[in-house]
């Protein structure tokens, strides 16, 4: 750790030039849950926000989330969209964080989706990282928040792919500035979109696989489901009909994403720190840890303020509780 501390200023500068090796090394630090690493993380964040001789200093990239059931086409869409966006905006830099539920079974988060991504290894403006998810139901991994704090300081946009089923999909709403739910046309037995249960979460819908024969019927079905589930908003909720196979509908979706990215940075990962500190405490210390935070330490918001920051709060909590 000592040697990393010395190397940190250089490493941060290289990462700000989007050197892939440097970015990957910093990610490892932000995924590291050993105690000493919290100090290095807060040093990294300070360096990132302060380095005056780079144009990324003070950057907060917009965070877009793509969620939806496995097989709906999230990875296929991302592999096209990312490359298209880089072509459409020559200044843009993007990081993709794919949170892969299958990795628990296969034992490694590295293959799987990556092989399907049409990925440009030499392109500095595009960075791809795959992460194991916490459960086989998807949702965020234990360090997804940490890695987003880092990536949003380096790239104009962070795109997160998560599987959204059950409870876990709501997590993405806490991390992303905008959540897109990717759906595929209904099968013959008409499972209702409403039953999918996640219609309340997203800001926009992507009905993918529009090349399939039942796509149009499903579009009308989705519209009426939205009227039922979110009657006061449904006018404002876009549905993008896309095909990652043929490319149909992608231009419209990409235009909306570019508008999102160019409209400014993230609405504030700082604001989300209390939620993720609470989540971290529950993960690491269980329910009794959560009670201790709420009852003895005044709750996550108060405790972060008292400790002087998120990293400091993690370290202080481990001491106070452990
Ligand atoms: N017909 C058709 N198949 C697609 C489309 N997008 C993805 N697929 C296929 O659907 C399967 C799942 O895609 P994938 O991107 O891995 O889905 P993910 O699990 O949501 O990331 C793959 O076999 C893709 O080739 C599409 O627009 N049309
Ligand atoms: Mg995928």
């Amino acid at each position: 750790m000592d040697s990393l501390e010395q190397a940190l200023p250089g490493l941060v500068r290289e990462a700000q030039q989007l050197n892939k090796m440097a970015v990957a090394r910093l990610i490892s630090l932000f995924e590291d849950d050993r105690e000493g690493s919290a100090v290095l993380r807060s040093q990294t964040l300070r360096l990132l926000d302060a380095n005056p001789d780079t144009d990324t200093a003070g950057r907060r990239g917009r965070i877009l989330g793509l969620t939806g059931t496995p097989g709906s086409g999230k990875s296929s869409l991302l592999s096209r969209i990312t490359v298209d966006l880089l072509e459409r905006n020559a200044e843009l830099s993007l990081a993709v964080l794919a949170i892969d539920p299958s990795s628990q079974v296969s034992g490694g988060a590295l293959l799987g989706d990556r092989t399907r991504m049409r990925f440009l290894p030499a392109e500095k403006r595009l960075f791809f990282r795959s992460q194991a998810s916490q459960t086989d139901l998807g949702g965020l991994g234990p360090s997804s928040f940490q890695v987003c704090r880092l990536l949003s300081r380096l790239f104009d946009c962070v795109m997160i792919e998560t599987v959204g089923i059950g409870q876990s999909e709501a997590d993405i709403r806490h991390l992303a500035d905008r959540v897109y739910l990717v759906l595929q046309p209904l099968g013959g037995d008409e499972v209702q979109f409403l039953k999918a249960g996640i219609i309340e979460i997203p800001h926009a819908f992507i009905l993918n696989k529009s090349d399939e024969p039942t796509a149009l019927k499903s579009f009308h079905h989705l519209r009426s489901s939205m009227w039922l589930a979110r009657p006061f908003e449904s006018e404002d909720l876009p549905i993008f009909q896309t095909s990652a196979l043929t490319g149909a509908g992608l231009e419209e979706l990409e235009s909306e994403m570019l508008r999102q990215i160019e409209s400014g940075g993230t609405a504030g990962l700082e604001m989300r720190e209390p939620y993720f500190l609470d989540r971290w405490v529950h993960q690491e210390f269980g329910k009794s840890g959560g009670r201790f935070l709420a009852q003895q330490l005044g709750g996550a918001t108060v405790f972060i303020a008292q400790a002087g920051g998120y990293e400091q709060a993690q370290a202080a909590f481990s001491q106070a509780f452990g």
Side-chain angles (χ1 to χ4, degrees):
M1 290 248 181
D2 283 354
S3 62
L4 182 56
E5 183 167 2
Q6 278 168 8
L8 215 49
L11 200 57
V12 164
R13 200 158 296 129
E14 281 178 52
Q16 286 183 310
Q17 284 150 13
L18 305 187
N19 173 306
K20 284 193 203 297
M21 291 274 281
V23 176
R25 277 193 70 189
L26 287 182
I27 288 181
S28 303
L29 174 63
F30 277 69
E31 287 178 336
D32 189 344
D33 56 8
R34 284 173 302 174
E35 237 168 73
S37 65
V39 181
L40 293 176
R41 276 197 291 277
S42 74
Q43 280 176 14
T44 305
L45 295 177
R46 249 200 324 275
L47 286 166
L48 280 169
D49 289 344
N51 242 348
D53 52 335
T54 62
D55 63 353
T56 55
R59 168 176 286 171
R60 292 291 186 282
R62 195 104 170 132
I63 301 175
L64 305 182
L66 258 76
T67 189
T69 49
S72 56
K74 299 177 295 298
S75 300
S76 309
L77 283 167
L78 276 174
S79 72
R80 289 189 77 132
I81 289 171
T82 49
V83 175
D84 289 350
L85 290 179
L86 293 188
E87 273 169 19
R88 285 176 64 167
N89 181 336
E91 309 275 289
L92 194 68
S93 60
L94 296 171
V96 175
L97 181 62
I99 300 166
D100 183 357
S102 58
S103 53
Q104 273 204 336
V105 184
S106 68
L110 287 176
L111 292 169
D113 279 358
R114 186 192 290 225
T115 50
R116 285 200 293 270
M117 284 258 189
R118 182 161 57 103
F119 190 48
L120 308 170
E123 174 58 84
K124 274 189 162 186
R125 296 185 295 138
L126 183 57
F127 186 87
F128 180 83
R129 178 74 166 205
S130 173
Q131 236 188 8
S133 85
Q134 198 187 5
T135 69
D136 53 2
L137 290 181
L140 303 177
S143 60
S144 303
F145 172 63
Q146 288 289 14
V147 172
C148 278
R149 292 172 81 204
L150 173 68
L151 291 176
S152 70
R153 284 170 164 84
L154 294 172
F155 294 87
D156 297 312
C157 175
V158 182
M159 296 192 168
I160 311 169
E161 174 187 343
T162 67
V163 172
I165 329 168
Q167 275 299 304
S168 56
E169 83 277 353
D171 264 355
I172 189 70
R173 196 63 198 252
H174 290 277
L175 195 52
D177 296 300
R178 193 161 174 85
V179 176
Y180 299 84
L181 176 63
V182 182
L183 297 161
Q184 55 185 334
L186 298 167
D189 55 350
E190 293 292 296
V191 183
Q192 301 249 336
F193 282 118
L194 279 174
K195 277 197 198 142
I198 40 183
I199 212 162
E200 285 86 6
I201 302 292
H203 300 103
F205 294 81
I206 301 172
L207 187 56
N208 190 39
K209 307 195 184 182
S210 64
D211 54 282
E212 288 191 349
T214 58
L216 193 60
K217 193 168 160 219
S218 292
F219 173 75
H220 295 300
H221 197 80
L222 178 59
R223 263 264 169 259
S224 48
S225 301
M226 277 164 51
W227 270 103
L228 289 171
R230 298 168 72 173
F232 304 109
E233 305 165 85
S234 58
E235 300 270 12
D236 305 320
L237 292 170
I239 303 179
F240 297 95
Q241 295 172 271
T242 62
S243 168
L245 196 66
T246 67
L250 291 186
E251 208 178 311
E252 218 186 324
L253 174 61
E254 289 160 6
S255 296
E256 122 102 25
M257 286 177 161
L258 275 178
R259 275 197 304 278
Q260 282 295 322
I261 298 166
E262 287 160 2
S263 77
T266 175
L269 283 176
E270 280 84 1
M271 270 164 51
R272 298 166 186 151
E273 286 175 358
Y275 173 83
F276 283 100
L277 184 74
D278 193 63
R279 192 179 185 275
W280 173 79
V281 164
H282 277 88
Q283 264 158 14
E284 297 288 315
F285 305 94
K287 276 196 180 124
S288 56
R291 267 197 305 275
F292 189 75
L293 177 65
Q295 290 166 9
Q296 308 297 317
L297 302 175
T301 307
V302 169
F303 190 57
I304 290 172
Q306 272 174 1
Y310 187 84
E311 267 69 36
Q312 290 83 345
Q314 282 186 319
F317 186 87
S318 302
Q319 277 205 331
F321 188 71

